[in-house]
Amino acid sequence: FDAITKNTCRQTPAGELDKDPIIPYMTRSIGCKAYRDTIVDRADGDYRDYQIGAIWVDDTLGALYQHLESIGQLNNTFFLFQPDHGQEGKGTLYENGIRLAQFLHYPDMIPAGSVFQGLTNTIDLAPTLMDFAGFD
């Protein structure tokens, strides 16, 4: 919450920018400060970092999706999204520790609505991504 309410849009880990960043499909039409204000408004009083972060990530993925679509690269882009299961599930063999949703988007190779019911592990991700990229 503090990152979007107490810092300016120009502050970055590498230093201060000369001007506000313009992000297509996010800040271009309203500006960075006004965009950040919409995040706070949409949180509807729930200002936990998790809630603010979820809104910000959703917007960012939406902007990336729209940009890739506008340049004709959406169907040629592999998206893998795996959320964190939170502290309560880490390191346990209970349900929260062993099950985690993964979302894939790659229409050229994975049909919409596909479901995989087998077992996987995050250690499988690197070799799988390398296969998709064409590396042996």
Side-chain angles (χ1 to χ4, degrees), residues 78 80 102 104 106 109-110 120-135:
F78 186 98
L80 174 107
Q102 287 183 338
L104 299 173
Y106 192 40
M109 294 190 72
I110 302 170
T120 64
N121 194 315
T122 52
I123 200 166
D124 298 325
L125 290 179
T128 300
L129 294 174
M130 297 297 268
D131 283 348
F132 273 105
F135 291 97

Side-chain angles (χ1 to χ4, degrees), residues 9-12 16-22 32:
C9 294
R10 296 178 184 189
Q11 291 172 306
T12 73
E16 186 106 359
L17 301 173
D18 293 333
K19 58 185 178 178
D20 284 354
I22 297 172
C32 185

Side-chain angles (χ1 to χ4, degrees), residues 36-115:
R36 285 180 170 202
D37 290 344
T38 71
I39 294 174
V40 174
D41 292 343
R42 289 179 287 153
D44 198 28
D46 184 354
Y47 302 131
R48 293 173 295 170
D49 287 342
Y50 175 83
Q51 179 65 15
I52 296 292
I55 294 168
W56 206 340
V57 167
D58 187 57
D59 287 354
T60 303
L61 289 173
L64 180 59
Y65 188 96
Q66 288 177 339
H67 178 69
L68 289 168
E69 190 173 50
S70 75
I71 63 171
Q73 290 299 311
L74 181 60
N75 289 345
N76 190 37
T77 302
F78 186 98
F79 277 99
L80 174 107
F81 186 72
Q82 178 178 308
D84 186 16
H85 43 56
Q87 288 297 324
E88 67 277 355
K90 288 184 181 190
T92 71
L93 294 177
Y94 296 110
E95 192 70 16
N96 287 347
I98 61 171
R99 290 193 186 267
L100 188 63
Q102 287 183 338
F103 304 93
L104 299 173
H105 177 271
Y106 192 40
D108 285 353
M109 294 190 72
I110 302 170
S114 296
V115 176

Side-chain angles (χ1 to χ4, degrees), residues 19-31:
K19 58 185 178 178
D20 284 354
I22 297 172
I23 303 166
Y25 307 104
M26 285 176 71
T27 66
R28 177 174 283 159
S29 62
I30 63 172

